[in-house]
Amino acid sequence: METTLRGVGVSHGVAVGQVRHMGTAALEPPAKQVPADEAPKEQARARRAVDAVAADLVARGNLAGGEAQAVLEAQALMAQDPELLADVERRIAVGSTAERAVYDALSAYRSLLAGAGEYLAGRVADLDDVRNRIVARLLGVPMPGVPDSDEPYVLIARDLAPADTALLDPSLVLGFVTEEGGPTSHSAILARAMGVPAVVALAGATELAEGVEIAVDGSSGEVFVEPGAELRARLAAEAEARRAALAGATGPGATSDGHRMPLLANIGGPADVAAAVEAGAEGVGLFRTEFLFLEDSGRAPSVETQVAAYREVLEAFPRGRVVVRVLDAGADKPLDFLTPGDEPNPALGVRGLRSLLKHPEVLRDQLRALAQASAGLPVHLEVMAPMVADRADARAFAEACREAGLAAKFGVMVEVPSAALRARSILQEVGFLSLGTNDLAQYTFAADRQVGALSRLQNPWHPALLDLVAMSAEAAAADSKSCGVCGEAASDPLLACVLTGLGVTSLSMGAAAIPYVRAALAKHTLAQCERAAAAARATDSAEEARRAAQAVLSGE
């Protein structure tokens, strides 16, 4: 019998196929004592297992590249955390086996995070995966994971660890549905990068029967169980119309009446460049530089290492625009040499520009490397700082850029509500704004972006968030400066039209979303986008805002 379930759509497209569940297993080892004289041997076993798992995660990241590489390297650092390893060795010293000590130590840390209001719930899922991988290696059992199948299927899981998502085979995995997770979780971001339809935060997803056929709409968040012939025909027609629209929309981003809207790519490093170029990206709107710093959390990479990586990206976009975000460390991306390890609420602590201003030598070296990397190239380099709260922050960053001899334009990210509220003041110090809608939503609604239960408050359609976008865009326009969006909001084709109507000057997204956004803009005039934006802002909820904008743009 055909039924409809609704979660949160996080990756465009429709997938129809049979359900296959992610493999699970109880990996809790037995609690038994070992003699004291065997403790050194058990401690050595634990260290070898930890190192092997970390190496495997790094290897998976190298294979996957791009966004996945940065995520998996961060997870490898988690596995090798010195404090966790010290706790494991303490437990072994008092009689635990290596596997039981690992299980108990990481479970205790997990409980600590969950007990803090699940503020770091996204990292809890990653921590569970690290624990299971180390314990499985110590027990000598296979790691539960993606099911073995010769036929394409739709993958169902409570949640997907980055290590699993990163290496999904798109020829077999038609799409995936998770019971947990949020629109900006690691799995959602990686799904968009892969171009695999995905729905997260679907209550009861794991109760779907193995083998039952479902249709997954990654745009609307709907999951249809046992879809009938009529629904199948409708979904097929919509998919065909979407393909035709994608094929017909080429060239630079623009509305149907010729209003230019540059479509840029979000990248995590040189490995993402090829996909961005293939998608027709007009440049890079967000170059996340963390991937270089995550390779060794104990120290910053040399200026020479940075120059080589930056130049590889800059050379790929001759005469294009490349916006580089300086190191955004802290919160879920801690670095031993830079970020405090004892903050009760890291996302509200010393992260982003705050970390760099406490360690000016790290910022200075990165800015120097960017200056050297861009020397002699016709690229339009722009450099921006994350987590800017006010004019004083903006001034400090601008001064650092000048002192480093950086000829590029410099700007700031608007991720904190105060930056949107005081955008005109901030623009007295810098040349552009870039809205990071993921964090802006998190801080506006006091809702952790990694917690699926709070997905209602992480929705970029919320009118309060649209108000902050409009406020920032208006401030930039008044000063004849640019204001782009580089958060995940830009990857929603309908919302991209609304953002255009709000006055933003560029949209940056994962490469896979660029054709969808280009096609959506090409169907509407600037005036229609402006009316849709006004209609969305006149509502009181994200759902109402989306419906209002859809009504305007569909001519209802």
Side-chain angles (χ1 to χ4, degrees):
M1 175 178 159
E2 184 180 300
T3 56
T4 303
L5 306 174
R6 185 177 290 276
V8 178
V10 296
S11 185
H12 303 301
V14 173
V16 180
Q18 292 187 347
V19 163
R20 293 287 181 272
H21 284 268
M22 191 76 171
T24 58
L27 288 177
E28 181 175 357
K32 61 181 183 180
Q33 293 291 108
V34 296
D37 60 355
E38 291 187 19
K41 177 182 170 184
E42 289 295 290
Q43 290 170 339
R45 281 184 65 223
R47 285 192 293 272
R48 285 196 299 271
V50 165
D51 289 343
V53 166
D56 178 63
L57 290 168
V58 170
R60 285 169 177 260
N62 290 336
L63 283 173
E67 298 271 9
Q69 185 170 10
V71 170
L72 292 174
E73 286 176 351
Q75 203 178 7
L77 292 176
M78 183 187 294
Q80 295 178 304
D81 183 281
E83 291 186 16
L84 285 175
L85 188 56
D87 190 16
V88 168
E89 294 187 339
R90 280 194 296 270
R91 292 171 187 271
I92 292 173
V94 295
S96 282
T97 61
E99 49 266 35
R100 187 70 206 191
V102 167
Y103 182 87
D104 288 341
L106 273 73
S107 295
Y109 186 43
R110 183 194 197 283
S111 298
L112 220 118
L113 296 180
E118 291 190 288
Y119 186 81
L120 295 176
R123 291 196 74 205
V124 164
D126 294 356
L127 188 68
D128 285 346
D129 184 57
V130 167
R131 180 193 64 198
N132 288 344
R133 289 178 185 278
I134 299 172
V135 170
R137 181 169 288 274
L138 287 165
L139 290 174
V141 301
M143 180 64 206
V146 177
D148 186 17
S149 174
D150 295 328
E151 298 296 324
Y153 58 89
V154 177
L155 181 63
I156 306 293
R158 182 167 299 281
D159 201 358
L160 283 169
D164 295 316
T165 315
L167 296 183
L168 290 178
D169 183 351
S171 68
L172 285 176
V173 181
L174 302 171
F176 65 76
V177 180
T178 65
E179 192 159 304
E180 299 176 355
T184 57
S185 65
H186 286 153
S187 294
I189 291 171
L190 295 178
R192 284 188 287 270
M194 293 169 55
V196 175
V199 172
V200 301
L202 180 73
T206 54
E207 297 172 15
L208 291 168
E210 183 84 4
V212 70
E213 191 161 60
I214 64 173
V216 179
D217 188 332
S219 299
S220 69
E222 293 172 305
V223 173
F224 306 97
V225 182
E226 297 183 332
E230 186 177 336
L231 175 59
R232 286 168 173 271
R234 176 171 70 79
L235 292 173
E238 290 175 355
E240 181 55 39
R242 190 178 294 118
R243 278 193 292 270
L246 292 176
T250 58
T255 59
S256 62
D257 57 342
H259 175 73
R260 287 278 290 111
M261 181 53 61
L263 302 181
L264 312 173
N266 293 344
I267 68 170
D272 291 336
V273 167
V277 172
E278 184 179 354
E282 299 168 58
V284 173
L286 173 61
F287 178 6
R288 303 179 181 95
T289 57
E290 289 76 47
F291 79 102
L292 276 172
F293 292 80
L294 290 169
E295 291 179 3
D296 183 353
S297 70
R299 61 180 179 177
S302 68
V303 171
E304 292 72 25
T305 297
Q306 294 186 59
V307 169
Y310 302 151
R311 195 169 181 90
E312 187 175 346
V313 172
L314 296 175
E315 288 177 336
F317 295 95
R319 305 194 185 283
R321 178 185 179 204
V322 176
V323 184
V324 178
R325 181 180 70 190
V326 294
L327 177 62
D328 184 15
D332 62 343
K333 293 169 286 189
L335 293 171
D336 293 344
F337 71 92
L338 197 67
T339 51
D342 57 352
E343 290 185 318
N345 202 339
L348 296 180
V350 183
R351 63 167 291 197
L353 181 62
R354 299 167 186 177
S355 292
L356 294 174
L357 294 179
K358 287 179 68 69
H359 298 271
E361 71 285 355
V362 176
L363 177 59
R364 182 188 63 245
D365 284 354
Q366 186 169 23
L367 294 174
R368 284 176 52 214
L370 286 165
Q372 292 178 33
S374 60
L377 296 180
V379 67
H380 299 289
L381 173 64
E382 300 183 9
V383 182
M384 61 185 180
M387 292 299 293
V388 167
D390 57 18
R391 184 172 180 173
D393 281 349
R395 183 186 301 116
F397 180 63
E399 289 173 353
C401 289
R402 293 189 191 97
E403 289 172 5
L406 195 67
K409 183 188 291 187
F410 34 87
V412 303
M413 293 196 71
V414 177
E415 301 163 287
V416 182
S418 62
L421 293 168
R422 301 292 295 172
R424 292 197 177 191
S425 170
I426 287 173
L427 284 165
Q428 300 309 301
E429 304 292 342
V430 295
F432 69 93
L433 303 177
S434 184
L435 288 142
T437 52
N438 302 346
D439 270 325
L440 187 57
Q442 172 172 248
Y443 295 123
T444 298
F445 303 113
D448 187 345
R449 56 187 282 192
Q450 299 288 356
V451 178
L454 299 177
S455 60
R456 180 183 74 81
L457 296 172
Q458 298 157 353
N459 194 325
W461 277 96
H462 198 291
L465 193 69
L466 299 181
D467 287 345
L468 292 174
V469 173
M471 188 176 296
S472 302
E474 289 165 5
D479 212 13
S480 299
K481 293 179 178 178
S482 63
C483 177
V485 171
C486 65
E488 294 298 321
S491 65
D492 179 336
L494 182 60
L495 185 50
C497 293
V498 169
L499 294 171
T500 299
L502 291 174
V504 305
T505 57
S506 66
L507 297 169
S508 188
M509 64 210 74
I514 290 176
Y516 292 91
V517 173
R518 182 187 292 119
L521 287 172
K523 293 194 300 183
H524 305 292
T525 66
L526 176 59
Q528 287 175 313
C529 292
E530 289 172 341
R531 288 197 296 273
R537 290 182 68 190
T539 65
D540 293 314
S541 73
E543 294 75 18
E544 292 172 351
R546 186 181 186 94
R547 284 197 298 270
Q550 180 70 68
V552 171
L553 294 176
S554 62
E556 295 177 9

